[in-house]
Amino acid sequence: MKNKKVNITEVVLRDGQQSLIATRMRLSDMTPILSKLDNIGFSSLEMWGGATYDCCLRFLNEDPWERLKVIKSNVIKTKLQMLLRGKNLVGYKKYDDTVTDLFIKKSSENGIDIFRIFDALNDINNIIHSIECANKYNANSQGTISYTTSPIHNEKYWLKLAKDIEDAGAKSLGIKDMAGLLKPKTAYELIKKLKKNLNIPIHLHTHATTGLSDATNFKAYEAGVDNIDTSISSFSNLYAHTATESLISMIYDDNDNPFDMNELAEISDYFQNIRNKYSQYEGSMKGVDIKMLINQVPGGMLSILEKQLLDLNKSDKLDDLVKEIPRIRKDVGYIPLVTPASQIIGAQALLNILDNERYKNLNKEFIDLVKGDYGKIPGDVDKALLKIVDAKSYDQTIESKSVDQARLDFKDFCKENNLENLHKSDTDLLNFILFTKESKDFYTKSSVVSMNDLIELQEGFGIYMSD
């Protein structure tokens, strides 16, 4: 009897390169290989969202919407997939519901078929509207749990959250294991119960950081998971994911393999050459980091924290920083370390280490997080930390303008810079809403912000990503 064909989402264009080369891959390096990727038979290509949107504007001087359009024009057979941070969309703060609606509408129109929608706090209220909008525009709304481990995150917690996501109208469920914490046996048991309790397909996304991903993905396959994320071998493992070819080889014999391994080898060779161009963005990790099972720092977050410390001539502080992150996480109720919570906690950990004193200085975003402005915190916040936050709090809400309000600001900006025709474009408007400073630089051809800018880290915390 032949094995059931496994549905595979190839992530090299988004999370593969985000985890290994800090999301620096340019569209020009993607375009030549798109037709080959399209012909393999993947269930989808994850190629947009997460940090790619931010980095296009911030570092690459590219319009993220142009990337989407070009990839869509070259990928005919395969569904396109993006990562969406619920109310945070592809940014780092909450946006008005009208912005969410317009963003999902334009994303769908320009080629996104599957929206993987998650919230850093696993607050269902932060993803419901995005699920509704994706359904409204006839896309696959993939409600997603941000997997983590803690005294409060157990099987009962995950089963209830998954059912809440299905009841919210999601067309599929994603399990997003951004730090490689999901163990093989746990994955098997959890997916078995999810398959019994849910009527929607289940997708698994896990990272290779801890060395568990191959076994976890295989056990998930045995448990009946509907879709598994992998990355082509030349952009796999380390901070990234199980290699696409490896998973296929685990499941199929040579005589019943529906995937063309020679074609996959050509794709891998292509990306190996591309990866060499971006070697300066590689992290120092050379193998498995089992400490992640204790510290839970995601690969994408860790790789650029290293770069940040290097830029500050503080590389000797990396171990202290990695140890401080889970301490803060415990203080704030065991929040999963995924964007934007990971950025907020990472930036606060950096302050604590550089100050040689815990919570001497607090980021505004950290204060907002502790106060609940980002959503319901899953556990209890440390009482001593609450006192510090209360003493340093200030009355300032997170700005959330409607599309109509933002449109007026954008029109004024366009007029001031002789860009009168630009304000008519909804996608350019969305760039302006989501990343105002970066968009102003992009449209006026000003210089892009340097990675060395610590102020940018603390004010925008968009320097390192852990989607």
Side-chain angles (χ1 to χ4, degrees), residues 273-378:
N273 291 329
I274 294 301
R275 184 171 173 175
N276 293 334
K277 295 171 57 176
Y278 299 96
S279 59
Q280 70 189 92
Y281 300 109
E282 299 259 5
S284 64
M285 185 178 179
K286 302 303 181 184
V288 167
D289 190 346
I290 205 67
K291 289 186 293 185
M292 292 302 100
L293 292 173
I294 302 170
N295 298 322
Q296 300 200 10
V297 183
M301 179 180 181
L302 182 63
S303 61
I304 307 192
L305 273 173
E306 288 183 89
K307 183 66 167 66
Q308 186 67 34
L309 286 172
L310 179 64
D311 291 341
L312 294 169
N313 294 316
K314 297 287 185 179
S315 295
D316 59 315
K317 296 287 188 180
L318 181 61
D319 285 344
D320 293 337
L321 184 59
V322 171
K323 290 176 183 176
E324 178 64 9
I325 289 170
R327 293 177 66 194
I328 296 177
R329 178 175 177 256
K330 180 180 178 182
D331 288 345
V332 294
Y334 295 105
I335 289 172
L337 289 177
V338 66
T339 303
S342 53
Q343 278 75 17
I344 299 171
I345 290 175
Q348 186 59 50
L350 184 61
L351 277 180
N352 289 359
I353 295 302
L354 295 178
D355 289 338
N356 291 314
E357 181 179 340
R358 303 192 78 219
Y359 306 128
K360 177 181 178 181
N361 293 294
L362 301 181
N363 282 321
K364 175 191 178 298
E365 293 79 18
F366 186 73
I367 293 173
D368 292 336
L369 180 68
V370 173
K371 288 167 58 181
D373 290 345
Y374 282 86
K376 183 180 179 182
I377 291 175

Side-chain angles (χ1 to χ4, degrees), residues 440-458:
K440 287 181 177 180
D441 290 342
F442 176 75
Y443 292 121
T444 59
K445 306 303 178 185
S446 298
S447 60
V448 177
V449 177
S450 169
M451 193 174 182
N452 298 328
D453 193 342
L454 180 59
I455 295 175
E456 186 67 32
L457 171 65
Q458 295 183 6

